[in-house]
Amino acid sequence: MKYSNTLSLGVSVCVSLSQTFTAWCNSHLRKAGTQIENIEEDFRNGLKLMLLLEVISGERLPKPDKGKMRFHKIANVNKALDFICSKGVKLVSIGAEEIVDGNVKMTLGMIWTIILRFAIQDISVEGECSHTSFAHTFSIVWKDGLALCALIHRHRPDLIDYSKLRKDDPMGNLNTAFEVAEKYLDIPKMLDAEDIVNTPKPDEKAIMTYVSCFYHAFAGAEQAETAANRICKVLAVNQENEKLMEEYEKLASELLEWIRRTIPWLENRVAEQTMRAMQQKLEDFRDYRRVHKPPKVQEKCQLEINFNTLQTKLRLSNRPAFMPSEGKMVSDIANAWKGLEQVEKGYEEWLLTEIRRLERLDHLAEKFKQKSSLHESWTSGKVELLSMKDYESASLMEIRALMRKHEAFESDLAAHQDRVEQIAAIAQELNELDYHDAVTINARCQGICDQWDNLGTLTQKRRDSLERVEKLWETIDQLYLEFAKRAAPFNNWMDGAMEDLQDMFIVHSIEEIQSLITAHDQFKATLPEADKERVATMGIQNEIVKIAQTYGIKLSGVNPYTNLSPQDITDKWDAVKHLVPLRDQMLQEEVARQQSNERLRRQFAAQANIIGPWIQTKMEEISHVSVDIAGSLEEQMSNLKQYEQNIINYKCNIDKLEGDHQLSQESLIFDNKHTNYTMEHVRVGWEQLLTTIARTINEVENQILTRDAKGISQEQLNEFRASFNHFDRGEVEFARIMTLVDSNNTGVVTFQAFIDFMTRETAETDTADQVMASFKILASDKTYITVEELRRELPPEQADYCISRMTSYVGSGAPPGALDYISFSSALYGESDL
């Protein structure tokens, strides 16, 4: 473009233009930290002229010569003139020598050329008038000052109340415009109001130079507004993402804290001493399973969904992926949950084992008490009997009787040896099983053993005494002796039979109770033979009575060899016959209980064998649905929601199975041969099924979010899926894409990752460079920004957000409190260490 740089100027015009051009130059040189006072003098060495061109063009000129010789100055001015020519400006009659020599007209002409090229050229003027006619009209329009005030009011209505201006006050209007422009728009006062009003035709070059400053000032403000809007948008996205991150951290912390509090409770394996207390522990554990744990399962699932949604939003806004605090990753929560379930399983097994142990202990303790009571009842008075010295004054017959009686006692004593050993064995087992009242058991067992040893000693001493005097006494009643010898074992057998018939038992299956019934039937088969023994024993007594009656012997009524009377044998025999049907009844009741338990096992197995395969089938169907689903995302979401509702509607079957499982545990049923599915298997499968359908729905929700955020149509999404399913392999471009969609080198690309890649390739997003450029506009091209500039250009909330997060600027030449917007912009996109 060719500009006229020849000025035909009078002295007064030159002075006016020099003042205007000087003010214009200083408005730009101020950005470089310098000023000029005399335009023709300060540009003579070319240094400030080159600096001015660098400021207004934003480009670097060749390095100037710092020498003070004339040829150095001419060289610098030539560099400036060459730069002007490189911008398409044809200079006429202007040479470096004239500028160095201080030629006023040439210097002003050069400045006017610079103003035309860099300040006025880009300003368009409506209409098709020639430049000459425009310049003539242009200079007249501004004389009354209303046009300047209208220009300011149009862009900044807060600075001038246009309704109060008067056309008949041009001097006041012009001075108002000049003062407002200098104070609020940073436009120096280049013109004199009196010169404009009193001159028929104001100098159009001075007017155009001054008005061009308004254009650039308002254009910069418009750029600042655009930049502020972009920053507000970016900061709003960043604030929303930070809120989601804080919510994730809070939910993750609460869930981990609940797991941390629950595990010690499940790890507490301090056994209770009574069955009632252990049953209460089991009931507390059931409440934990039914009431406390299910909400936490839902929280865990929701946490994973929130995490996936957050990561999707971060990818869509071109932000780095969210990295939770240490120990709060989704994998950390999954590991903690896995540890909880392992401890939970161990706790349940321990509870059931302890209940079995206490059941066994109660049975053994009761058995110990019964046998001990029988033994103590038998030993009662035996010490006193063995300590008697009745043989010293007895007759021969009485001595013989005492001897036979003692032999019968020894036989009885030997028969009771087995019971004492049983009592000791039961006491030892109670100690080994850590019975809570083992001290009492041990004391009683020790007393029985000590008493037994003492009886043995006393028995031997009495035998020795009787044998010593037996030689003196030879009268023995054989019949009494025979009765005593036969009655004692039979009596002992009846004692044992009564003990067995009253013995407690515990079984866990029909086979075990049938075994007891068989043993009882075998016992009943021996009753006829026992009855024969009873008849034979009672026959001896009848023979004694017959002989006494035959020979007129007066009986004392007491057998000298035994304390057992015929009535004792009869009473015990009647007692045995009475206990047999009672034993039959107890066994039949236990058969009924075991049959009921078997029905519970079969009832649980029938449901578990249906529910277990159903869960496995649904898991497989979901894995196929997530790949094979067709139609729009909304249709897919509707189908998946219906699928989820069908699964939730199946929950009643799980609850019914839980009820049957509780009945089985209350009946102390711990095994089930009719099914391979335990309640724990069903619970884990059900939780996995709910989690899988929730994750599948979340994937579709994220696809909808991606589609809506990036403006992807359903057809594009279908094309993405087709590309995903039929992706060609083996090419260089494929290898590049794989590094983006499979950064962990797992060999698997999910559809969601593929959609993220396609949207990044096809959509435009904000970048860190764009945000930096926006801040640079707000900062008037500075590499730092002040608090005042942020508060002036941004809304209060966004300005406070930036001020609180920007670091102090560390470069030179910045005022105190200057902020570094470059590192802040990089941090928004994860490109710095902030």
Side-chain angles (χ1 to χ4, degrees):
M1 181 175 181
K2 181 178 178 182
Y3 297 94
S4 175
N5 52 280
T6 304
L7 297 177
S8 179
L9 306 171
V11 174
S12 62
V13 174
C14 284
V15 173
S16 177
L17 277 181
S18 178
Q19 294 173 348
T20 301
F21 288 175
T22 299
W24 183 85
C25 291
N26 283 334
S27 68
H28 293 286
L29 288 173
R30 189 163 53 245
K31 298 178 182 178
T34 185
Q35 298 276 285
I36 62 173
E37 296 180 1
N38 188 299
I39 196 168
E40 60 270 17
E41 291 296 329
D42 290 342
F43 282 163
R44 290 179 65 176
N45 63 2
L47 295 177
K48 291 190 177 181
L49 178 60
M50 294 179 71
L51 181 60
L52 173 66
L53 290 172
E54 287 184 346
V55 171
I56 62 178
S57 68
E59 300 181 22
R60 297 290 296 177
L61 271 67
K63 185 177 181 181
D65 292 324
K66 300 295 185 178
K68 297 183 179 181
M69 303 297 292
R70 176 179 173 81
F71 71 88
H72 291 136
K73 299 177 181 179
I74 292 174
N76 289 336
V77 174
N78 276 327
K79 291 177 183 179
L81 296 177
D82 290 342
F83 178 77
I84 296 172
C85 292
S86 70
K87 298 301 179 182
V89 178
K90 185 175 181 181
L91 299 173
V92 179
S93 302
I94 295 180
E97 291 80 359
E98 286 85 352
I99 303 300
V100 173
D101 292 337
N103 188 311
V104 176
K105 291 185 178 182
M106 289 299 177
T107 301
L108 293 176
M110 179 189 65
I111 297 302
W112 173 242
T113 300
I114 292 172
I115 292 172
L116 285 175
R117 172 61 183 83
F118 294 102
I120 300 176
Q121 176 178 319
D122 295 333
I123 303 176
S124 61
V125 181
E126 296 183 358
E128 299 181 355
C129 61
S130 66
H131 182 75
T132 303
S133 63
F134 166 72
H136 175 75
T137 305
F138 188 85
S139 64
I140 300 301
V141 168
W142 309 98
K143 285 193 65 175
D144 60 4
L146 290 177
L148 274 177
C149 291
L151 178 62
I152 296 172
H153 181 77
R154 168 65 178 80
H155 293 279
R156 292 291 300 276
D158 57 309
L159 299 180
I160 292 180
D161 187 355
Y162 191 80
S163 62
K164 295 182 178 180
L165 301 176
R166 303 197 323 271
K167 187 174 180 64
D168 59 358
D169 185 19
M171 190 77 70
N173 296 339
L174 287 170
N175 284 326
T176 297
F178 293 159
E179 292 171 1
V180 169
E182 184 173 25
K183 183 176 181 180
Y184 296 104
L185 303 180
D186 201 25
I187 299 175
K189 185 177 180 181
M190 303 179 185
L191 304 174
D192 184 82
E194 185 175 350
D195 290 343
I196 294 175
V197 173
N198 296 331
T199 302
K201 179 186 175 184
D203 185 85
E204 69 272 12
K205 298 178 181 61
I207 296 294
M208 291 178 68
T209 299
Y210 184 71
V211 172
S212 70
C213 293
F214 284 90
Y215 169 81
H216 292 289
F218 292 137
E222 190 172 13
Q223 287 180 338
E225 182 179 359
T226 302
N229 290 336
R230 179 186 294 274
I231 292 173
C232 290
K233 175 185 174 184
V234 171
L235 295 179
V237 171
N238 217 60
Q239 288 173 310
E240 180 183 2
N241 290 340
E242 288 181 356
K243 181 179 180 181
L244 291 176
M245 294 176 190
E246 292 172 357
E247 291 176 353
Y248 173 89
E249 291 280 344
K250 180 176 180 295
L251 188 57
S253 298
E254 291 175 352
L255 184 57
L256 289 171
E257 176 62 19
W258 178 82
I259 294 174
R260 185 190 66 78
R261 294 196 312 269
T262 303
I263 286 180
W265 174 66
L266 294 173
E267 289 178 338
N268 182 13
R269 307 295 167 81
V270 178
E272 300 293 341
Q273 296 182 349
T274 64
M275 178 67 79
R276 180 186 296 274
M278 287 305 297
Q279 289 285 5
Q280 183 59 47
K281 276 184 176 287
L282 181 61
E283 188 61 30
D284 293 343
F285 181 72
R286 288 175 184 152
D287 287 342
Y288 157 79
R289 277 273 181 80
R290 292 191 302 261
V291 179
H292 302 292
K293 185 180 178 185
K296 298 304 177 181
V297 174
Q298 293 297 325
E299 289 181 12
K300 176 176 175 290
C301 179
Q302 188 62 44
L303 189 70
E304 295 177 358
I305 291 173
N306 291 351
F307 181 83
N308 293 334
T309 301
L310 174 60
Q311 298 293 39
T312 299
K313 288 186 176 182
L314 290 173
R315 287 194 296 271
L316 293 177
S317 60
N318 202 22
R319 282 0 182 237
F322 170 54
M323 182 63 64
S325 302
E326 183 178 358
K328 296 180 183 176
M329 295 287 292
V330 173
S331 58
D332 296 328
I333 295 172
N335 291 335
W337 190 266
K338 182 179 179 181
L340 172 69
E341 292 184 331
Q342 289 175 347
V343 174
E344 177 181 307
K345 181 180 179 182
Y347 185 75
E348 184 178 30
E349 292 174 352
W350 173 77
L351 279 176
L352 297 178
T353 300
E354 277 300 309
I355 288 175
R356 294 192 194 102
R357 185 182 70 85
L358 288 176
E359 186 180 35
R360 172 67 176 166
L361 284 174
D362 289 346
H363 169 69
L364 288 174
E366 188 61 28
K367 192 171 184 178
F368 175 87
K369 292 176 183 177
Q370 286 187 357
K371 289 185 175 293
S372 296
S373 297
L374 288 173
H375 176 77
E376 289 167 348
S377 176
W378 177 83
T379 59
S380 178
K382 294 297 188 295
V383 172
E384 292 78 9
L385 180 64
L386 293 174
S387 301
M388 290 176 63
K389 297 183 179 181
D390 50 345
Y391 52 82
E392 293 180 350
S393 58
S395 63
L396 178 60
M397 292 296 292
E398 290 172 341
I399 290 299
R400 288 181 176 178
L402 290 174
M403 187 61 188
R404 299 299 180 267
K405 183 178 179 181
H406 187 71
E407 290 176 352
F409 173 79
E410 287 180 328
S411 178
D412 198 9
L413 185 68
H416 280 79
Q417 176 68 33
D418 181 62
R419 180 181 293 162
V420 174
E421 292 174 354
Q422 291 178 4
I423 291 172
I426 294 173
Q428 181 178 356
E429 187 173 0
L430 286 170
N431 278 274
E432 292 173 351
L433 293 177
D434 196 24
Y435 182 60
H436 70 92
D437 198 16
V439 174
T440 302
I441 296 294
N442 292 337
R444 191 171 184 180
C445 180
Q446 187 62 46
I448 290 173
C449 292
D450 293 341
Q451 184 187 47
W452 185 255
D453 293 338
N454 187 36
L455 285 177
T457 302
L458 293 175
T459 300
Q460 186 60 41
K461 286 178 64 176
R462 184 169 179 80
R463 166 169 281 278
D464 294 341
S465 298
L466 290 173
E467 287 178 348
R468 190 174 60 251
V469 298
E470 188 181 25
K471 296 177 181 179
L472 302 174
W473 309 94
E474 297 178 355
T475 304
I476 296 174
D477 190 337
Q478 292 295 332
L479 289 175
Y480 270 135
L481 180 59
E482 185 177 355
F483 176 87
K485 287 184 177 182
R486 298 195 68 167
F490 184 69
N491 180 67
N492 190 56
W493 174 88
M494 288 191 295
D495 286 342
M498 292 173 64
E499 182 179 342
D500 291 338
L501 290 171
Q502 298 178 83
D503 188 23
M504 297 179 64
F505 57 83
I506 178 171
V507 294
H508 296 95
S509 66
I510 292 179
E511 291 77 9
E512 293 177 6
I513 189 61
Q514 287 294 348
S515 176
L516 290 178
I517 291 174
T518 300
H520 184 60
D521 290 339
Q522 292 173 353
F523 167 77
K524 290 192 292 185
T526 64
L527 290 178
E529 188 67 24
D531 190 47
K532 291 180 181 179
E533 178 64 18
R534 181 188 65 83
V535 172
T537 302
M538 295 302 292
I540 297 173
Q541 176 64 25
N542 294 336
E543 183 67 16
I544 294 172
V545 173
K546 182 180 179 181
I547 292 174
Q549 291 175 349
T550 301
Y551 296 101
I553 298 175
K554 185 178 181 180
L555 300 176
S556 62
V558 178
N559 190 324
Y561 305 114
T562 180
N563 291 325
L564 289 173
S565 67
Q567 188 60 45
D568 293 334
I569 299 298
T570 301
D571 292 340
K572 284 193 177 182
W573 178 253
D574 292 340
V576 170
K577 290 193 296 181
H578 175 72
L579 290 173
V580 168
L582 293 179
R583 185 69 169 184
D584 287 332
Q585 182 181 352
M586 290 176 60
L587 293 173
Q588 290 305 316
E589 289 175 352
E590 183 61 28
V591 168
R593 190 176 78 86
Q594 291 302 323
Q595 289 174 344
S596 174
N597 289 351
E598 184 66 13
R599 285 194 298 272
L600 288 175
R601 290 189 182 96
R602 292 181 182 275
Q603 181 177 332
F604 177 89
Q607 292 187 78
N609 289 337
I610 294 173
I611 293 175
W614 182 88
I615 291 176
Q616 294 173 353
T617 300
K618 292 302 176 184
M619 289 291 289
E620 295 173 358
E621 290 177 359
I622 291 173
S623 66
H624 292 307
V625 165
S626 64
V627 177
D628 301 338
I629 51 180
S632 68
L633 291 178
E634 285 73 12
E635 292 172 349
Q636 295 173 22
M637 177 62 70
S638 177
N639 293 337
L640 286 172
K641 289 288 186 180
Q642 183 61 41
Y643 207 86
E644 181 184 39
Q645 187 59 45
N646 292 339
I647 292 175
I648 293 174
N649 291 341
Y650 199 78
K651 180 66 164 57
C652 60
N653 296 303
I654 304 297
D655 295 337
K656 187 175 184 302
L657 189 65
E658 283 281 8
D660 291 343
H661 176 65
Q662 182 172 348
L663 289 176
S664 297
Q665 286 199 330
E666 289 174 351
S667 299
L668 301 179
I669 300 173
F670 305 113
D671 55 5
N672 194 336
K673 64 183 179 182
H674 303 296
T675 180
N676 292 327
Y677 293 99
T678 65
M679 195 64 231
E680 180 64 24
H681 292 153
V682 174
R683 291 191 193 106
V684 172
W686 178 252
E687 293 174 358
Q688 291 178 346
L689 180 60
L690 292 178
T691 301
T692 301
I693 188 64
R695 286 175 177 167
T696 305
I697 291 174
N698 179 244
E699 180 183 357
V700 176
E701 290 174 341
N702 287 338
Q703 293 175 19
I704 292 174
L705 181 61
T706 302
R707 181 198 65 189
D708 295 342
K710 298 301 182 178
I712 302 173
S713 66
Q714 185 62 43
E715 291 75 12
Q716 286 177 310
L717 201 60
N718 291 339
E719 289 178 4
F720 291 171
R721 182 173 286 280
S723 300
F724 178 74
N725 293 336
H726 301 88
F727 211 89
D728 189 20
R729 303 181 57 154
E731 298 184 1
V732 175
E733 179 63 14
F734 174 73
R736 181 188 70 82
I737 295 174
M738 283 299 291
T739 62
L740 299 176
V741 299
D742 183 21
S743 59
N744 295 327
N745 295 322
T746 62
V748 177
V749 181
T750 65
F751 184 54
Q752 180 62 39
F754 186 72
I755 287 180
D756 292 340
F757 163 74
M758 293 298 290
T759 54
R760 283 198 301 271
E761 294 292 314
T762 58
E764 178 181 358
T765 59
D766 293 324
T767 65
D769 291 338
Q770 290 174 326
V771 176
M772 289 182 202
S774 298
F775 274 117
K776 187 175 182 181
I777 292 173
L778 299 187
S780 301
D781 292 336
K782 301 189 295 294
T783 57
Y784 59 85
I785 192 167
T786 66
V787 173
E788 291 75 16
E789 289 171 333
L790 286 173
R791 295 197 183 280
R792 184 180 69 227
E793 304 294 348
L794 298 180
E797 181 181 356
Q798 307 294 354
D800 291 339
Y801 181 83
C802 293
I803 293 169
S804 64
R805 284 166 172 76
M806 283 187 182
T807 59
S808 298
Y809 181 75
V810 296
S812 60
L819 302 174
D820 186 355
Y821 65 79
I822 295 178
S823 61
F824 173 75
S825 301
S826 299
L828 290 177
Y829 292 87
E831 298 178 3
S832 81
D833 297 330
L834 292 180

